[in-house]
Amino acid sequence: MKYLDWSQFLISASSISQIMSRPKGCTDFTNSQKEKYATLLLKEELSESEKKTFDVLTAKKERFNNPELSVAAKKYMITRYSWDKYNRGTLSVNEKSARLVKGNELEEDAIKMLSKRDRTKYKRGEEFISNDFIFGRCDIYSPDRNKVIDIKVSWGIHSYLPNHITELSTKYWMQMQSYLDLYDLDKGEVCWVLLNTPIFLLDREKAKLTENYMTGEIDAEKFEESMERLDLNYDYSKIPNSRKIITFQVSRERGFMEKVYKKVEKCREWMAEFDRIHSDNKKIITLSEKYAAPFIEGEQEDTA
């Protein structure tokens, strides 16, 4: 997308967790702080000491409820800026991780497996859709079933099986909330799927291991162990298909998306300001005391 007006800037559904991440130190009240705050609220008059405490707690509460953009959010937006402004920032297929390439390569196979499980004909989502704040494309949109499905193809069984006993990550929950909002649906599924790894990816990983072994980065024992593990990551044909799909059901939470939209507004303001700074490209003044003080005062940590 190209933006001439950053007030129209949209966030991708898969990146909602990055803009919603909290900045360092932005935490909710501890139990003792909750009790203290509630006690101070009920008092008609506060002493000077109590007023200072109340102001500190109020500031913390306000920051928690309306935090500034985090470092992760800014990193995401700079990446988007490089793409939206200059059409730069994507990786070639060879540079992308094998796990990401496997997911893209086997998406159709995963859709066929899910179609067989649910006894319906699912189709891959082809078109990106958007509203006034976000855009995205889910892997499966089923109007007949009134649901969307997001597919996660596991790299291997060792990363697949733990999904049985772990909660769905906040990142993927947020991504699904975005899809539910975009498609105006009340339910969705995040499905982890276990599929055979394409030979070309295994060959690529083996080539990397061989290079690491030849350059001395890993020893012979580690090399043989890793090569054997790669071979085991290839074929899962003997496992029944019914055991190769782990499904997380997700319900729509409208209140969450209202907070997302408020954060998108902050992102737009930040992008407009960043664009101005980049366009002006003024010299950046450094303050000597900031860099010299730790050495002069003997507070510099040993980073060796």
PDB file of all heavy atoms in Angstrom, residues 109-122:
ATOM      1  N   ASP A 109      -2.333 -27.922   1.087  1.00  0.00           N
ATOM      2  CA  ASP A 109      -2.468 -29.264   1.652  1.00  0.00           C
ATOM      3  C   ASP A 109      -3.177 -29.215   3.001  1.00  0.00           C
ATOM      4  O   ASP A 109      -3.984 -30.096   3.323  1.00  0.00           O
ATOM      5  CB  ASP A 109      -1.084 -29.898   1.831  1.00  0.00           C
ATOM      6  CG  ASP A 109      -0.418 -30.229   0.504  1.00  0.00           C
ATOM      7  OD1 ASP A 109      -1.140 -30.304  -0.514  1.00  0.00           O
ATOM      8  OD2 ASP A 109       0.810 -30.388   0.481  1.00  0.00           O
ATOM      9  N   ALA A 110      -2.883 -28.193   3.792  1.00  0.00           N
ATOM     10  CA  ALA A 110      -3.543 -28.040   5.088  1.00  0.00           C
ATOM     11  C   ALA A 110      -5.033 -27.772   4.912  1.00  0.00           C
ATOM     12  O   ALA A 110      -5.861 -28.295   5.662  1.00  0.00           O
ATOM     13  CB  ALA A 110      -2.895 -26.901   5.866  1.00  0.00           C
ATOM     14  N   ILE A 111      -5.378 -26.969   3.912  1.00  0.00           N
ATOM     15  CA  ILE A 111      -6.793 -26.668   3.647  1.00  0.00           C
ATOM     16  C   ILE A 111      -7.547 -27.938   3.241  1.00  0.00           C
ATOM     17  O   ILE A 111      -8.676 -28.176   3.685  1.00  0.00           O
ATOM     18  CB  ILE A 111      -6.914 -25.593   2.550  1.00  0.00           C
ATOM     19  CG1 ILE A 111      -6.420 -24.246   3.092  1.00  0.00           C
ATOM     20  CG2 ILE A 111      -8.362 -25.465   2.060  1.00  0.00           C
ATOM     21  CD1 ILE A 111      -6.335 -23.149   2.048  1.00  0.00           C
ATOM     22  N   LYS A 112      -6.908 -28.786   2.443  1.00  0.00           N
ATOM     23  CA  LYS A 112      -7.541 -30.051   2.047  1.00  0.00           C
ATOM     24  C   LYS A 112      -7.761 -30.944   3.262  1.00  0.00           C
ATOM     25  O   LYS A 112      -8.805 -31.599   3.387  1.00  0.00           O
ATOM     26  CB  LYS A 112      -6.667 -30.771   1.018  1.00  0.00           C
ATOM     27  CG  LYS A 112      -6.626 -30.102  -0.342  1.00  0.00           C
ATOM     28  CD  LYS A 112      -5.688 -30.832  -1.291  1.00  0.00           C
ATOM     29  CE  LYS A 112      -5.607 -30.109  -2.631  1.00  0.00           C
ATOM     30  NZ  LYS A 112      -4.637 -30.774  -3.553  1.00  0.00           N
ATOM     31  N   MET A 113      -6.793 -30.975   4.172  1.00  0.00           N
ATOM     32  CA  MET A 113      -6.927 -31.800   5.371  1.00  0.00           C
ATOM     33  C   MET A 113      -8.065 -31.301   6.252  1.00  0.00           C
ATOM     34  O   MET A 113      -8.859 -32.090   6.785  1.00  0.00           O
ATOM     35  CB  MET A 113      -5.611 -31.800   6.157  1.00  0.00           C
ATOM     36  CG  MET A 113      -5.613 -32.746   7.347  1.00  0.00           C
ATOM     37  SD  MET A 113      -4.057 -32.703   8.287  1.00  0.00           S
ATOM     38  CE  MET A 113      -2.968 -33.534   7.125  1.00  0.00           C
ATOM     39  N   LEU A 114      -8.165 -29.976   6.392  1.00  0.00           N
ATOM     40  CA  LEU A 114      -9.252 -29.405   7.199  1.00  0.00           C
ATOM     41  C   LEU A 114     -10.607 -29.617   6.529  1.00  0.00           C
ATOM     42  O   LEU A 114     -11.624 -29.832   7.213  1.00  0.00           O
ATOM     43  CB  LEU A 114      -8.994 -27.917   7.424  1.00  0.00           C
ATOM     44  CG  LEU A 114      -7.855 -27.588   8.403  1.00  0.00           C
ATOM     45  CD1 LEU A 114      -7.457 -26.120   8.291  1.00  0.00           C
ATOM     46  CD2 LEU A 114      -8.262 -27.912   9.829  1.00  0.00           C
ATOM     47  N   SER A 115     -10.648 -29.543   5.219  1.00  0.00           N
ATOM     48  CA  SER A 115     -11.901 -29.783   4.486  1.00  0.00           C
ATOM     49  C   SER A 115     -12.394 -31.209   4.719  1.00  0.00           C
ATOM     50  O   SER A 115     -13.590 -31.445   4.914  1.00  0.00           O
ATOM     51  CB  SER A 115     -11.687 -29.552   2.982  1.00  0.00           C
ATOM     52  OG  SER A 115     -11.379 -28.211   2.710  1.00  0.00           O
ATOM     53  N   LYS A 116     -11.458 -32.149   4.709  1.00  0.00           N
ATOM     54  CA  LYS A 116     -11.817 -33.546   4.939  1.00  0.00           C
ATOM     55  C   LYS A 116     -12.296 -33.749   6.367  1.00  0.00           C
ATOM     56  O   LYS A 116     -13.275 -34.471   6.616  1.00  0.00           O
ATOM     57  CB  LYS A 116     -10.605 -34.439   4.658  1.00  0.00           C
ATOM     58  CG  LYS A 116     -10.913 -35.927   4.711  1.00  0.00           C
ATOM     59  CD  LYS A 116      -9.698 -36.741   4.288  1.00  0.00           C
ATOM     60  CE  LYS A 116     -10.023 -38.231   4.309  1.00  0.00           C
ATOM     61  NZ  LYS A 116      -8.846 -39.054   3.882  1.00  0.00           N
ATOM     62  N   ARG A 117     -11.638 -33.091   7.309  1.00  0.00           N
ATOM     63  CA  ARG A 117     -12.049 -33.218   8.709  1.00  0.00           C
ATOM     64  C   ARG A 117     -13.460 -32.697   8.922  1.00  0.00           C
ATOM     65  O   ARG A 117     -14.280 -33.316   9.610  1.00  0.00           O
ATOM     66  CB  ARG A 117     -11.082 -32.468   9.623  1.00  0.00           C
ATOM     67  CG  ARG A 117     -11.421 -32.545  11.104  1.00  0.00           C
ATOM     68  CD  ARG A 117     -10.739 -31.475  11.922  1.00  0.00           C
ATOM     69  NE  ARG A 117     -11.242 -30.131  11.629  1.00  0.00           N
ATOM     70  CZ  ARG A 117     -10.889 -29.034  12.300  1.00  0.00           C
ATOM     71  NH1 ARG A 117     -10.003 -29.133  13.284  1.00  0.00           N
ATOM     72  NH2 ARG A 117     -11.391 -27.862  11.987  1.00  0.00           N
ATOM     73  N   ASP A 118     -13.757 -31.529   8.353  1.00  0.00           N
ATOM     74  CA  ASP A 118     -15.049 -30.877   8.568  1.00  0.00           C
ATOM     75  C   ASP A 118     -16.104 -31.259   7.532  1.00  0.00           C
ATOM     76  O   ASP A 118     -17.224 -30.742   7.566  1.00  0.00           O
ATOM     77  CB  ASP A 118     -14.862 -29.348   8.562  1.00  0.00           C
ATOM     78  CG  ASP A 118     -14.021 -28.876   9.727  1.00  0.00           C
ATOM     79  OD1 ASP A 118     -13.823 -29.660  10.672  1.00  0.00           O
ATOM     80  OD2 ASP A 118     -13.544 -27.725   9.685  1.00  0.00           O
ATOM     81  N   ARG A 119     -15.727 -32.143   6.599  1.00  0.00           N
ATOM     82  CA  ARG A 119     -16.643 -32.616   5.564  1.00  0.00           C
ATOM     83  C   ARG A 119     -17.290 -31.463   4.796  1.00  0.00           C
ATOM     84  O   ARG A 119     -18.502 -31.377   4.639  1.00  0.00           O
ATOM     85  CB  ARG A 119     -17.718 -33.509   6.180  1.00  0.00           C
ATOM     86  CG  ARG A 119     -17.154 -34.767   6.832  1.00  0.00           C
ATOM     87  CD  ARG A 119     -18.224 -35.626   7.454  1.00  0.00           C
ATOM     88  NE  ARG A 119     -17.652 -36.809   8.080  1.00  0.00           N
ATOM     89  CZ  ARG A 119     -18.356 -37.735   8.738  1.00  0.00           C
ATOM     90  NH1 ARG A 119     -19.681 -37.591   8.847  1.00  0.00           N
ATOM     91  NH2 ARG A 119     -17.749 -38.782   9.263  1.00  0.00           N
ATOM     92  N   THR A 120     -16.431 -30.576   4.359  1.00  0.00           N
ATOM     93  CA  THR A 120     -16.894 -29.446   3.555  1.00  0.00           C
ATOM     94  C   THR A 120     -15.781 -29.067   2.591  1.00  0.00           C
ATOM     95  O   THR A 120     -14.677 -29.601   2.675  1.00  0.00           O
ATOM     96  CB  THR A 120     -17.266 -28.237   4.439  1.00  0.00           C
ATOM     97  OG1 THR A 120     -17.907 -27.249   3.634  1.00  0.00           O
ATOM     98  CG2 THR A 120     -16.043 -27.644   5.108  1.00  0.00           C
ATOM     99  N   LYS A 121     -16.047 -28.157   1.672  1.00  0.00           N
ATOM    100  CA  LYS A 121     -15.050 -27.744   0.688  1.00  0.00           C
ATOM    101  C   LYS A 121     -14.576 -26.336   1.016  1.00  0.00           C
ATOM    102  O   LYS A 121     -15.183 -25.340   0.637  1.00  0.00           O
ATOM    103  CB  LYS A 121     -15.659 -27.783  -0.720  1.00  0.00           C
ATOM    104  CG  LYS A 121     -14.680 -27.403  -1.835  1.00  0.00           C
ATOM    105  CD  LYS A 121     -13.565 -28.405  -1.975  1.00  0.00           C
ATOM    106  CE  LYS A 121     -12.691 -28.061  -3.180  1.00  0.00           C
ATOM    107  NZ  LYS A 121     -11.540 -28.968  -3.318  1.00  0.00           N
ATOM    108  N   TYR A 122     -13.487 -26.263   1.766  1.00  0.00           N
ATOM    109  CA  TYR A 122     -12.915 -24.968   2.081  1.00  0.00           C
ATOM    110  C   TYR A 122     -12.064 -24.464   0.917  1.00  0.00           C
ATOM    111  O   TYR A 122     -11.469 -25.255   0.179  1.00  0.00           O
ATOM    112  CB  TYR A 122     -12.020 -25.056   3.320  1.00  0.00           C
ATOM    113  CG  TYR A 122     -12.756 -25.242   4.624  1.00  0.00           C
ATOM    114  CD1 TYR A 122     -12.298 -26.169   5.572  1.00  0.00           C
ATOM    115  CD2 TYR A 122     -13.886 -24.490   4.931  1.00  0.00           C
ATOM    116  CE1 TYR A 122     -12.948 -26.339   6.779  1.00  0.00           C
ATOM    117  CE2 TYR A 122     -14.545 -24.656   6.138  1.00  0.00           C
ATOM    118  CZ  TYR A 122     -14.078 -25.585   7.057  1.00  0.00           C
ATOM    119  OH  TYR A 122     -14.733 -25.752   8.252  1.00  0.00           O
TER     120      TYR A 122
END
